[in-house]
């Protein structure tokens, strides 16, 4: 299995810290999977111009290809102006409409306060559903107060991250088992 963790912004540290924490939690629980972290702040992704995702070069091609090849994805996004950042939307624009078909997708959202806790419901989930993603209903929303000295210090937040990890892994295992069962029906 291939799991991609996406830091959906080029600025700030809170989302990056949350995604790196998830990376550590993934490695702690699931050493068999390939874990790829895509940090948009460390990659040079150009604006979508309508080409097919595989026609781009460099980091843009790398990001698009990694997402297309993933079995599971955790998207980390900060909240900017009550929505997702343009850099994350640009990544979605690079991909075809079916990009997330048969992919399990978890979400980690960060924000300065609880005022924006429904941003994921109103802005991100509709895009992922439109692109055929199987979005895990419960996401992790992390506020400014959950951090101290560049780490997550709220125990409840860590528990919710572990639950998101566990749900993603369970969904991926179930999906893989179903595929094998279906394939064996046609094994003559």
């Amino acid at each position: 299995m291939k799991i991609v963790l996406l830091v959906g912004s080029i600025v700030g540290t809170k989302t990056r810290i949350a995604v790196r924490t998830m990376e550590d939690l993934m490695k702690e629980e699931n050493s068999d999977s390939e874990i790829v972290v895509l940090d948009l702040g460390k990659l040079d992704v150009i604006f979508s111009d309508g080409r097919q995702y595989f026609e781009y070069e460099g980091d843009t091609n790398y990001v698009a290809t990694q997402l297309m090849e993933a079995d599971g994805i955790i998207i980390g996004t900060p909240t900017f102006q009550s929505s997702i950042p343009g850099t994350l939307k640009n990544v979605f624009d690079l991909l075809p409409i079916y990009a997330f078909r048969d992919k399990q997708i978890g979400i980690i959202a960060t924000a300065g306060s609880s005022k924006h806790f429904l941003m994921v419901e109103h802005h991100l989930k509709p895009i992922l559903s439109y692109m055929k993603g199987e979005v895990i209903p419960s996401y992790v929303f992390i506020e400014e107060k959950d951090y101290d000295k560049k780490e997550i210090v709220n125990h409840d937040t860590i528990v919710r991250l572990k639950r998101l990890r566990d749900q993603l892994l369970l969904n991926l295992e179930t999906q893989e088992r179903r595929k094998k069962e279906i394939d064996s029906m046609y094994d003559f």
Side-chain angles (χ1 to χ4, degrees), residues 28-73:
E28 164 185 302
E29 185 65 25
N30 186 19
S31 60
D32 294 341
S33 292
E34 176 186 358
I35 310 275
V36 176
V37 177
L38 300 175
D39 186 338
L40 296 183
K42 297 180 180 180
L43 298 165
D44 185 23
V45 178
I46 65 170
F47 282 109
S48 170
D49 61 14
R51 285 182 272 173
Q52 296 290 327
Y53 77 92
F54 50 83
E55 294 175 341
Y56 291 95
E57 297 177 357
D59 288 345
T60 307
N61 178 279
Y62 175 72
V63 167
T65 301
Q66 292 300 312
L67 289 167
M68 291 296 292
E69 293 175 351
D71 298 300
I73 301 168

Side-chain angles (χ1 to χ4, degrees), residues 54-150:
F54 50 83
E55 294 175 341
Y56 291 95
E57 297 177 357
D59 288 345
T60 307
N61 178 279
Y62 175 72
V63 167
T65 301
Q66 292 300 312
L67 289 167
M68 291 296 292
E69 293 175 351
D71 298 300
I73 301 168
I74 299 280
I75 296 173
T77 181
T79 305
F80 291 165
Q81 307 298 344
S82 301
S83 189
I84 63 173
T87 51
L88 181 56
K89 178 63 169 76
N90 181 57
V91 168
F92 299 148
D93 291 344
L94 294 168
L95 303 172
I97 187 174
Y98 59 84
F100 298 137
R101 183 181 296 137
D102 297 327
K103 295 181 191 324
Q104 298 296 319
I105 302 176
I107 300 168
I108 301 169
T110 61
S113 74
S114 63
K115 285 192 248 180
H116 303 293
F117 77 97
L118 287 175
M119 178 277 293
V120 171
E121 297 293 338
H122 295 288
H123 295 271
L124 186 53
K125 281 186 175 182
I127 295 168
L128 299 174
S129 294
Y130 177 77
M131 295 178 76
K132 315 299 185 248
E134 295 182 26
V135 181
I136 295 171
S138 296
Y139 54 90
V140 179
F141 184 83
I142 308 173
E143 294 179 61
E144 180 87 24
K145 66 182 182 180
D146 297 326
Y147 294 89
D148 187 40
K149 297 178 185 167
K150 299 196 182 245

